[in-house]
Amino acid sequence: PGWIGRTVPDVIERVEVLVSSPSRNYVTLRLTTRDGIVGLGDATVNGRELAVASYLRDHVGPLLIGRDPGRIEDTWQYLYRGVYWRRGPIGMAAIGAVDIALWDILGKRAGQPLYALLGGRVRDRLATYRHAFGWDLPALLEQVDAHREAGFENIRVQAGVPGLDVVYGVTKDNTVYEPAGRAAAPAEEIWDTEAYLRSMPGVIAGVREHVGDAVGLLHDAHHRLTPIQAARLGKALEPVGMYWLEDVTPAEDPEALRLVRQHTTTPLAIGEVFNTIWDCQQLIENRLIDYIRVAVVHAGGISHLRKIFALAEVHGVRAAPHGPSDVSPISLAASIHLGVAVHNFAIQEYMGYPDLVHEAFPHAWHVADGHLQPGDEPGLGVTLNDELHHADDYEPAYLPVARRRDGTLTDW
Ligand code: KDG
Ligand code: MG
């Protein structure tokens, strides 16, 4: 009776955690409220899917039942501060999934696309970059040309390395690239940084020569270099005028990037493996990077990304979230809504998905004229095609591990 004449808050009534494999593995959170509103969240941690699924099912889900879905920040704080052992990829991906799903519910309740609730558009369209790779320069240029013909203005370029059999971001036969292999244990690859440093600047310079000045070129070193090697690469690429050089050194060492920064004007990007604002605080406050790449799923959802981006805004660092095929189209939707509403958002990675993934997660976001658009459906604008989410399709898949030629384990 106390509620008569007032809006009765809705409550979360059902929590479902779906581990499925529409061609590759994803963990999806589906929250349903008493009023029948459905919110979707992505909780995929590539290669550790069942850990986050259990965290959600066994520890987080039961705490959500009966909660007001409108208390998004309070729920975030409850799931973060309410755990003595906090942070880390598994816990933060679980919080991220809940947060994304609650914003989705809020948008649907309001009948508004998420970007409208985040302050509305600050831009008409969102820049994106696609991946091009080729074992050698001619093969790489074929993919670069295909992306340009499709209207994309920014392209990540990865190439093979003479003397190596396997290289991150490339396939030897130039077919579809998917680093996670379905097997009981990770594949082992041999890595040789010196060979890479000898060949890569020339390949990237070759791409620049081919495309002219108008295309943004990006390259991902995937955390494999020492600071001085990274500095050498950055300097070698200065004449190319890169959009950015990504993940040059292992991400847990911010001081490494200070050394790199002292030697090169090539813009630096990092952050896809960060989980919280505290992982990037030093990098942002000391202006050691130009782009922060935190992913909405892995860094605590929309609520936490907004705080990271606000900190970055104060320090002239721009947002450029991770967008590989191992964050689901739900995460990508959240990122795109943020992307049109956040002033210091620069560019959204869009690796693309196999067709079955698009079918499994029908989505309002889309590509138009080489840019991303969130669409105008309420909330995130993503639904689930239940017929393509079967729990028994799940098979473990692992990212590779890398060893140097002498057998020492190194960063993949
Ligand atoms: O699961 C690992 C991938 O997300 C990562 O290798 C992709 O580095 C990546 C990128 O920039 O997309
Ligand atoms: Mg990367």
Side-chain angles (χ1 to χ4, degrees):
W3 290 106
I4 290 171
R6 292 162 57 190
T7 310
V8 180
D10 198 1
V11 291
I12 300 167
E13 212 171 60
R14 193 158 176 220
V15 178
E16 294 162 278
V17 181
L18 314 173
V19 181
S20 61
S21 189
S23 75
R24 67 168 328 292
N25 296 327
Y26 293 108
V27 181
T28 304
L29 176 69
R30 178 161 59 192
L31 302 181
T32 309
T33 72
R34 190 196 49 211
D35 292 353
I37 303 179
V38 173
L40 297 178
D42 177 24
T44 309
V45 177
N46 200 6
R48 294 293 185 272
E49 294 84 4
L50 300 184
V52 70
S54 157
Y55 192 88
L56 276 169
R57 266 192 202 123
D58 300 331
H59 300 291
V60 172
L63 307 178
L64 296 177
I65 303 291
R67 289 185 76 86
D68 173 357
R71 296 187 62 164
I72 301 177
E73 179 66 18
D74 182 59
T75 301
W76 195 98
Q77 298 294 341
Y78 180 73
L79 295 177
Y80 181 80
R81 288 177 204 285
V83 185
Y84 192 61
W85 288 274
R86 58 203 191 193
R87 304 170 71 181
I90 304 302
M92 293 308 292
I95 295 178
V98 173
D99 187 81
I100 296 168
L102 294 182
W103 278 100
D104 192 23
I105 290 170
L106 189 70
K108 286 176 180 158
R109 178 170 289 284
Q112 297 279 331
L114 180 66
Y115 71 79
L117 306 183
L118 298 173
R121 278 182 184 270
V122 293
R123 52 183 58 87
D124 301 328
R125 54 192 200 157
L126 180 62
T128 184
Y129 70 89
R130 304 304 308 270
H131 291 193
F133 62 81
W135 193 258
D136 53 22
L137 182 61
L140 172 58
L141 293 180
E142 259 180 48
Q143 292 199 6
V144 168
D145 288 345
H147 286 312
R148 291 190 72 202
E149 274 156 33
F152 295 102
E153 296 167 2
N154 304 289
I155 303 175
R156 185 185 97 153
V157 291
Q158 307 291 137
V161 172
L164 293 183
D165 289 332
V166 195
V167 173
Y168 165 74
V170 196
T171 56
K172 210 159 193 176
D173 57 2
N174 307 312
T175 53
V176 177
Y177 176 69
E178 164 59 66
R182 288 185 186 247
E188 301 215 352
E189 300 177 353
I190 297 295
W191 177 244
D192 181 341
T193 302
E194 281 301 321
Y196 162 82
L197 286 174
R198 279 195 297 275
S199 69
M200 203 52 62
V203 173
I204 298 175
V207 178
R208 172 59 79 211
E209 202 175 309
H210 179 79
V211 297
D213 290 338
V215 178
L217 295 181
L218 305 86
H219 177 71
D220 190 345
H222 227 252
H223 311 282
R224 293 173 182 210
L225 313 181
T226 65
I228 208 69
Q229 289 170 333
R232 182 173 140 202
L233 180 62
K235 277 181 95 147
L237 290 173
E238 276 170 24
V240 172
M242 299 294 287
Y243 188 114
W244 79 40
L245 194 50
E246 173 181 339
D247 288 349
V248 280
T249 49
E252 56 272 71
D253 181 4
E255 280 302 310
L257 288 172
R258 189 189 301 280
L259 198 144
V260 181
R261 199 104 170 128
Q262 281 161 355
H263 288 279
T264 181
T265 55
T266 293
L268 301 175
I270 202 163
E272 64 187 45
V273 299
F274 291 162
N275 309 134
T276 69
I277 197 166
W278 295 283
D279 296 333
C280 42
Q281 182 181 12
Q282 212 180 321
L283 288 173
I284 292 172
E285 288 179 353
N286 294 316
R287 302 172 194 259
L288 301 181
I289 53 171
D290 300 280
Y291 298 93
I292 181 68
R293 302 225 337 107
V294 280
V296 69
V297 46
H298 299 132
I302 293 159
S303 301
H304 201 60
L305 245 66
R306 288 173 90 199
K307 294 177 189 178
I308 296 175
F309 295 167
L311 179 71
E313 184 174 15
V314 176
H315 296 90
V317 174
R318 298 175 74 197
H322 196 204
S325 55
D326 50 274
V327 307
S328 89
I330 298 170
S331 273
L332 199 71
S335 234
I336 297 170
H337 281 270
L338 278 162
V340 296
V342 169
H343 185 260
N344 62 324
F345 202 107
I347 196 166
Q348 173 60 53
E349 179 182 18
Y350 178 43
M351 181 175 169
Y353 296 103
D355 289 345
L356 202 62
V357 177
H358 290 291
E359 282 173 45
F361 299 89
H363 50 83
W365 61 259
H366 56 279
V367 171
D369 299 328
H371 289 70
L372 290 165
Q373 290 291 354
D376 284 311
E377 296 294 314
L380 293 168
V382 183
T383 54
L384 284 189
N385 177 347
D386 279 328
E387 283 172 24
L388 294 175
H389 293 272
H390 310 284
D392 44 356
D393 284 351
Y394 177 79
E395 264 178 63
Y398 289 102
L399 292 170
V401 297
R403 291 185 186 277
R404 296 192 201 118
R405 289 197 187 279
D406 69 357
T408 313
L409 203 87
T410 186
D411 300 277
W412 175 75

